[in-house]
Amino acid sequence: TGPMISECLGNLLRITLSAEYFEDKYLSFSVIDQSGIAWELDEAMASQCGYTVTYSNWRNIEFRASALSCHSHLEKDMFTVTIQIKASHTPDMKNTATHLKSASCHYGPWSPRELVCESNYMEVSVRREVPQTVKDFIQDEPDDWTLAFPEAKAGEASVWQIVFHQPEEKKALLVSDAWSAGYGLNTTDTRVLLRIPYTAVQIQLVEAQGITFSAVRSSTFYKQRWMILMVDTAVACPVDGVDYTNKTIIWTVPKYIQPLSAGATSFKDVLVEAGVDLHKLSAKEMASRKYVLLNDLNAITMKIPIGAEGGYYKTSVSSGQHGTKYTINLFLEHQWEDNKWGLTKHTIIKEIETPFEQVELAIINNSNLSARLMNVTVGTFLPDVELVNLTIDGATVAVPEAVQHGYLTYEIRYANGSKAYVIKVPFDAPSIKKEYMRADMRAHTLNVTLAFIIHPTSETFTVPVITVSTVKDAVLPSARGFCDGRNLRLIITRGNVDQNWLPFISDWHLTPEAAQKYNYSLRDNGTHLAISVPFLSSHVNYEDFHTSGIKASLHLTLKDGITLANRRNFSISCRFSPSELIQCLPNGTVVITTVKLVGIADLDTSLLVLRDRQCKPSLVTEKTATFKFNVNTCGTSRKFNSTTMIYENDVLYFRPGNDTPVYQLKFVCSYAIKQTVDIRYESKKNPPPSIKPGFGSLALSLKLFKEKSYSDPYQESEYPVVKYLRESLYFEVELLQPEDARLELNLDDCWATNSRSQDSLPQWPILINGCENSEDSYRTVFHEVNYSIRVKFPQHLKRFEVRMFTFVQGTTLLQE
C-alpha cells in the first residue's frame, strides 16, 4: 500500500507508482547511487543504464530496474536500487514533493548467458571465464574473429574494447567511446554486461522465419599483459511477429536465430514459460484465461484472445474519432542448451497493442419534463478519459465555469471501472434553442460539444451532443381586432414561440417600410404588434354589399422567419357605411368608389363602367375603381318629388362578349330642391382652454431604454437590469389606446419603491405634479419626443431620465 509498491521479478525490480497519489502531476525520476548522488533519468540514460519507465493499466506508472543497472548496489546475491521521485503540479517543477523508495531483491543463479529484451533496450550478460590464451578459444567463424583481433590490438593497454561485427566493416570502440555513444557496460567478478538502446547505430535488422529482429553482433575484448580475453556479446530481440486474426493476438518468436547461435551445432530446449506483467502463468492459469502457448520445433507461439484477462483496454483517437486499443504486457522466457554456451536464458518483454477500433458512444436523453430540466448521459468511457470543457454557442468553457451558463456536469462510475458523464441544463437556459412544432408543443434542442482528454497520452477528442425534447409549453400569439370610422385594426399579443415570425398579408411581407409606403400603421414593442389598415386599400377584402354597409375583412398571417411556413392566421371583419364610397358635391359632381368583391375573382376593375359605357374610372387599383362625373352625364337618371331631386346611376361589369352584367352597384345622390341656410356670426373673445374630467379605458406602457436615443428598449429576458449608482435610466411612458390625435399624455406623479408593490414603503418621488422633485440631488430630466416611424403621435409619449439610486437607512443598504 502507499504511493509506491516494489516487487522483485527475477533479475528485475519493479516499483509501481499509484495513480491515486501521482495523477495530474509532473514527475522527475532520479536514481541514487551508493555515494548518495542523485542521477536524474532521461530516455537516453534510462536505456543506457537499464531502467524503464512506462505506464501500466490506465494511470499507474511503472519503474523497472535491471539487477545490473548502473547504480545497483550488489552484495552477495542481493541487488538494491534507490529511486527519488519529485512531483509537482507545474511543469517548471516548483514546490515539489520528494519521495524516496529503496528496494532490494535476490538475483541469480545466473545462466552462462542471459539475454533480456526490454521495451527500451537490449541487454546481454555473459559469464567471465578463467583467462585463457587466444589460441584456445573456440571460433565459430575463424576469419571473422581473426579479423577482429587487429582492431582490438590497436587500442591502449588494459582497456576494455567492443568490436561490432557488421557486414560492411568491423568497428572497435573504447569503453569511454562506447559509453558516449549510449551503450551501457558493467562488470562483476563473474560477469560481463552490454546494454544496447534500440536507437544504436550498430543495430542490424535480421530476418528469421519472416520475423524481423534487432540484432547486434559484438565481441568484448580485454588486454592484460600478454593475453587478450574475448567475450561474445551478441544479442537479438524481435521487432515484430505479432498478427491479429479473428479477435486473437498471435505472437510468434523463432528459436535459435543465427546471431545468437553462431558457433553452436546442437540445441536442446530446457524451459519455455510465459506470463503477463512479468508474472509467470501456469498451464492451468493460461487455460482459464484461454491463452494458448505452443512450442514447436522452430518457433514459440502465444495466442491471446483480444479482451482477455491480463490485458486492458485504453482509449485512443484516430482521425478525431473515439475508440479503443487493447494492450497486454506479455513476456516470454526461453531457456536452451547448446554446445557453445551451455545454458542460455532469453527473456522477452513485449507490450502488444491492438489496432485502433472505433467505439460508438451512447447519448441518452433522460430529460425531466415536469422539472423542465434536460438530462443527458454520454458514455461509456474508460477510466483514462476526462471531460475538460464544453463548447456552448461557440464559446468554449471549462467544466467548473459551465455552471455559470446553467450546465451542471458530473461523473457516473460503474462497477467495472468504466464511467459516463451527465449533463443537466434547464429548458429555459439561453443556449437551449426553442422551436415551435405544432399545437402547444415546442422542441427544446441541446447542442453542446464536449471535449475530452486521455491520460496519460494527452490525446484529445470531441463528442457533439445534440438532443431534442418536445414539451407542451408553447404559448401562441393571440389577437383582438376592432374597427373605427375608416380603419381595420389588429393588436396581436406575442407568445413565446413567435420571436422570429413575420407578418404577411397574403404573400406580402408587412415591413415598417412597406407599411409606410401604403400609409398603414405598424408598431411592434416586443410584446404587442399593432396593425392598422385603411378601409379602402389594396390589402382589404370586400365580401358583400348591403344597405346596412359593406363587409370588409383583413387577413393577417404570421409566417416562420426561416421556412416561411404559415404559423398563425388572424382576421378582422367589419361593416362600413356605404356613405364611405360616395360623395355628392353641391356643384353636381359625383365621386363614387366601387370595390371588387371576393366572389368575383376574375373581375378587372379597369373594365368597370357606368350606364354609359364610355364613362370609365378615373382611378383604378387592384380592388377599387373611382369614377368622377357630373350628374347630367354618363346615363344618370333624375327623379323629383316635392322636396328632393334624386340622381341614380349604376356601376356595371360585363364579361367580354356578354351584355348581361355580372356586377351591378346602384348609387343615388339626393339634392334638396329648396333649402334655406341661416348663418349667424358673432365676434367673441375665445375663452381660455379648459380640461373637463372624464372616464375611459386607457392602455399605457412603461419601458426602460438602454440609451438616450430611445431606440433599443430592454427586453423581458434582460430583466433584472443591473446599473451602477448615478448611471442614467431612460424611461418612456406611452399611451397605446385609444389612438386619438386629440389626446395628449401628461404625467402627474411618479415614484420608486423598494419592491414590486407600488404601495410599499419606503418610497421616493421622481415626479411631483408633473415636475421634477426639487429635493433630488440629481433632478429628473425630460426629453423631447419627435415624430418618427415608431412615433406616430408624439403627444402620446413622455420621456424622462433618472439617475440610478438605492434606498438606505442610515449607512445600511435596504434590500427587498
Side-chain angles (χ1 to χ4, degrees):
T1 60
M4 293 183 282
I5 302 171
S6 62
E7 193 176 7
C8 298
L9 301 161
N11 292 336
L12 287 172
L13 165 67
R14 175 164 64 193
I15 298 176
T16 302
L17 281 63
S18 170
E20 181 181 349
Y21 287 87
F22 292 101
E23 70 177 343
D24 301 327
K25 293 184 177 70
Y26 295 89
L27 302 180
S28 168
F29 287 83
S30 297
V31 183
I32 311 297
D33 65 13
Q34 297 179 49
S35 303
I37 299 173
W39 298 83
E40 186 172 353
L41 287 183
D42 56 21
E43 290 184 10
M45 181 180 174
S47 59
Q48 184 176 38
C49 282
Y51 304 116
T52 303
V53 178
T54 185
Y55 286 90
S56 63
N57 291 325
W58 290 287
R59 297 191 184 183
N60 289 339
I61 301 171
E62 192 172 289
F63 170 87
R64 294 195 294 267
S66 168
L68 295 178
S69 57
C70 292
H71 310 97
S72 296
H73 174 51
L74 302 175
E75 187 173 359
K76 294 184 179 180
D77 58 350
M78 298 282 291
F79 72 95
T80 301
V81 176
T82 302
I83 64 169
Q84 172 185 279
I85 299 169
K86 292 183 178 180
S88 172
H89 288 284
T90 57
D92 57 10
M93 300 304 290
K94 290 183 178 179
N95 301 318
T96 58
T98 302
H99 303 265
L100 282 174
K101 181 71 174 179
S102 182
S104 300
C105 294
H106 289 277
Y107 69 91
W110 294 96
S111 300
R113 177 173 65 165
E114 295 205 1
L115 308 164
V116 176
C117 299
E118 252 286 9
S119 59
N120 58 330
Y121 63 85
M122 303 185 292
E123 182 179 283
V124 54
S125 71
V126 298
R127 182 183 298 158
R128 287 176 60 173
E129 302 291 350
V130 176
Q132 58 181 343
T133 57
V134 172
K135 66 179 182 179
D136 295 327
F137 188 82
I138 301 174
Q139 299 179 16
D140 59 333
E141 297 176 14
D143 292 340
D144 188 77
W145 300 117
T146 302
L147 290 172
F149 294 157
E151 302 290 340
K153 292 175 182 177
E156 300 175 9
S158 302
V159 177
W160 282 98
Q161 291 187 350
I162 304 173
V163 175
F164 294 97
H165 302 257
Q166 296 178 293
E168 65 277 2
E169 64 176 348
K170 294 172 180 60
K171 182 176 181 64
L173 291 178
L174 296 176
V175 168
S176 57
D177 295 330
W179 186 265
S180 298
Y183 295 96
L185 300 102
N186 201 353
T187 61
T188 67
D189 292 341
T190 59
R191 301 194 73 78
V192 174
L193 175 139
L194 173 64
R195 190 175 295 112
I196 304 167
Y198 286 110
T199 55
V201 175
Q202 277 72 28
I203 284 183
Q204 304 172 52
L205 295 179
V206 177
E207 193 169 288
Q209 300 176 37
I211 293 169
T212 304
F213 282 74
S214 290
V216 171
R217 287 204 63 206
S218 63
S219 304
T220 302
F221 292 87
Y222 183 79
K223 298 195 306 183
Q224 184 175 351
R225 295 182 182 179
W226 62 89
M227 292 181 296
I228 297 177
L229 307 181
M230 179 181 70
V231 179
D232 182 357
T233 46
V235 64
C237 292
V239 174
D240 49 29
V242 179
D243 290 317
Y244 309 95
T245 306
N246 297 326
K247 297 289 185 179
T248 302
I249 300 169
I250 302 174
W251 180 31
T252 303
V253 180
K255 298 178 179 179
Y256 321 127
I257 65 169
Q258 198 278 331
L260 302 181
S261 58
T265 56
S266 62
F267 302 93
K268 176 185 177 183
D269 272 349
V270 174
L271 182 68
V272 173
E273 290 185 310
V276 175
D277 290 331
L278 297 177
H279 289 285
K280 295 179 182 179
L281 296 177
S282 66
K284 184 178 179 181
E285 289 172 317
M286 286 194 184
S288 69
R289 299 184 181 194
K290 298 184 179 178
Y291 295 3
V292 176
L293 178 62
L294 301 175
N295 183 12
D296 298 329
L297 181 62
N298 296 315
I300 301 168
T301 302
M302 282 193 77
K303 296 182 179 181
I304 310 292
I306 294 176
E309 179 186 353
Y312 63 97
Y313 283 98
K314 60 183 179 181
T315 308
S316 184
V317 178
S318 177
S319 301
Q321 296 298 311
H322 164 267
T324 60
K325 296 179 180 179
Y326 175 75
T327 301
I328 188 166
N329 196 15
L330 299 175
F331 87 98
L332 177 68
E333 183 179 301
H334 180 207
Q335 297 185 31
W336 73 87
E337 289 182 343
D338 58 43
N339 60 344
K340 175 182 176 182
W341 286 101
L343 185 64
T344 295
K345 182 166 76 171
H346 194 183
T347 302
I348 303 170
I349 300 171
K350 183 74 170 178
E351 183 178 73
I352 296 176
E353 183 179 88
T354 60
F356 174 86
E357 183 174 350
Q358 186 173 343
V359 175
E360 293 294 332
L361 293 169
I363 299 174
I364 303 171
N365 187 351
N366 300 312
S367 295
N368 187 333
L369 303 186
S370 60
R372 296 189 58 77
L373 188 68
M374 299 203 83
N375 184 334
V376 178
T377 303
V378 183
T380 57
F381 299 99
L382 295 175
D384 56 355
V385 170
E386 180 187 2
L387 175 64
V388 288
N389 60 51
L390 301 84
T391 300
I392 305 166
D393 280 343
T396 300
V397 297
V399 170
E401 300 167 5
V403 178
Q404 302 171 16
H405 297 261
Y407 286 71
L408 174 65
T409 62
Y410 58 88
E411 248 181 34
I412 300 175
R413 290 191 175 270
Y414 301 113
N416 63 359
S418 63
K419 61 183 177 180
Y421 284 92
V422 175
I423 302 105
K424 291 184 177 181
V425 57
F427 282 148
D428 299 319
S431 60
I432 300 297
K433 300 296 183 290
K434 291 90 175 173
E435 182 182 4
Y436 176 63
M437 301 293 290
R438 63 191 178 278
D440 57 353
M441 305 295 288
R442 278 198 305 175
H444 295 67
T445 302
L446 168 67
N447 188 346
V448 62
T449 299
L450 309 181
F452 297 88
I453 189 170
I454 303 170
H455 299 289
T457 61
S458 295
E459 289 181 286
T460 59
F461 65 95
T462 59
V463 178
V465 176
I466 302 175
T467 60
V468 179
S469 296
T470 304
V471 187
K472 289 185 177 183
D473 66 349
V475 178
L476 296 176
S478 59
R480 62 184 182 89
F482 60 94
C483 298
D484 57 19
R486 300 189 59 85
N487 298 281
L488 296 96
R489 300 180 184 273
L490 276 173
I491 298 178
I492 299 171
T493 302
R494 295 285 195 185
N496 62 7
V497 296
D498 55 320
Q499 292 80 7
N500 298 315
W501 293 2
L502 305 175
F504 277 78
I505 300 177
S506 297
D507 291 326
W508 179 65
H509 182 198
L510 183 57
T511 63
E513 296 76 18
Q516 189 176 25
K517 175 182 176 182
Y518 286 92
N519 202 26
Y520 298 173
S521 172
L522 176 68
R523 292 187 298 163
D524 190 349
N525 63 6
T527 61
H528 293 81
L529 175 67
I531 300 165
S532 177
V533 176
F535 157 61
L536 289 175
S537 69
S538 58
H539 296 100
V540 172
N541 292 326
Y542 305 98
E543 298 180 9
D544 62 40
F545 278 105
H546 287 286
T547 54
S548 59
I550 306 159
K551 186 177 181 181
S553 60
L554 174 67
H555 298 277
L556 182 83
T557 301
L558 294 180
K559 295 189 176 187
D560 189 286
I562 299 174
T563 65
L564 294 184
N566 289 354
R567 292 300 189 188
R568 194 81 164 143
N569 296 311
F570 300 107
S571 65
I572 173 68
S573 295
C574 296
R575 286 200 176 272
F576 290 87
S577 170
S579 62
E580 297 290 335
L581 300 179
I582 189 167
Q583 297 179 63
C584 301
L585 302 179
N587 64 357
T589 300
V590 177
V591 180
I592 184 167
T593 300
T594 188
V595 294
K596 177 181 178 179
L597 296 178
V598 293
I600 311 175
D602 60 345
L603 188 147
D604 184 348
T605 55
S606 66
L607 299 180
L608 289 166
V609 294
L610 298 178
R611 289 176 181 172
D612 182 349
R613 296 192 187 184
Q614 299 302 313
C615 293
K616 298 181 179 179
S618 58
L619 178 65
V620 173
T621 69
E622 181 186 354
K623 293 186 179 180
T624 65
T626 301
F627 296 85
K628 185 176 182 180
F629 60 97
N630 189 273
V631 294
N632 296 316
T633 62
C634 296
T636 306
S637 62
R638 183 175 57 186
K639 294 191 296 185
F640 294 90
N641 59 30
S642 58
T643 60
T644 306
M645 187 163 47
I646 301 170
Y647 293 90
E648 294 182 356
N649 207 327
D650 295 288
V651 178
L652 305 168
Y653 179 71
F654 300 91
R655 287 196 174 98
N658 195 329
D659 288 333
T660 302
V662 296
Y663 176 94
Q664 182 175 8
L665 174 64
K666 182 182 291 291
F667 62 91
V668 175
C669 276
S670 299
Y671 293 91
I673 294 174
K674 182 179 181 181
Q675 183 175 11
T676 301
V677 178
D678 293 328
I679 299 175
R680 181 180 179 185
Y681 174 78
E682 179 181 353
S683 177
K684 195 173 185 178
K685 186 177 181 181
N686 291 332
S690 63
I691 299 175
K692 294 183 179 180
F695 299 93
S697 176
L698 300 178
L700 298 170
S701 73
L702 173 63
K703 295 180 188 174
L704 176 62
F705 284 77
K706 297 178 180 178
E707 297 174 343
K708 191 176 181 179
S709 63
Y710 286 87
S711 58
D712 188 10
Y714 284 99
Q715 302 300 320
E716 184 177 353
S717 60
E718 296 178 274
Y719 285 93
V721 176
V722 179
K723 292 284 187 179
Y724 294 104
L725 287 176
R726 294 189 291 280
E727 192 174 351
S728 293
L729 302 170
Y730 300 98
F731 290 96
E732 179 188 89
V733 182
E734 181 181 7
L735 173 63
L736 300 176
Q737 292 294 336
E739 291 184 346
D740 190 337
R742 296 172 299 174
L743 297 178
E744 181 172 353
L745 175 67
N746 288 290
L747 301 181
D748 192 6
D749 292 320
C750 179
W751 65 95
T753 66
N754 199 33
S755 72
R756 295 187 179 184
S757 173
Q758 65 183 23
D759 300 319
S760 66
L761 295 174
Q763 298 181 357
W764 183 256
I766 296 171
L767 298 178
I768 302 173
N769 296 325
C771 299
E772 65 270 18
N773 184 356
S774 60
E775 296 183 14
D776 259 342
S777 301
Y778 298 89
R779 294 193 178 184
T780 302
V781 178
F782 286 95
H783 293 296
E784 184 179 356
V785 182
N786 296 311
Y787 179 85
S788 67
I789 294 176
R790 190 174 76 82
V791 180
K792 185 176 180 181
F793 302 114
Q795 65 271 29
H796 287 188
L797 285 86
K798 285 293 184 286
R799 292 172 176 167
F800 56 91
E801 175 185 344
V802 178
R803 294 295 183 91
M804 182 67 188
F805 64 92
T806 186
F807 288 97
V808 295
Q809 183 173 3
T811 59
T812 303
L813 177 67
L814 293 180
Q815 297 184 353
E816 183 180 352

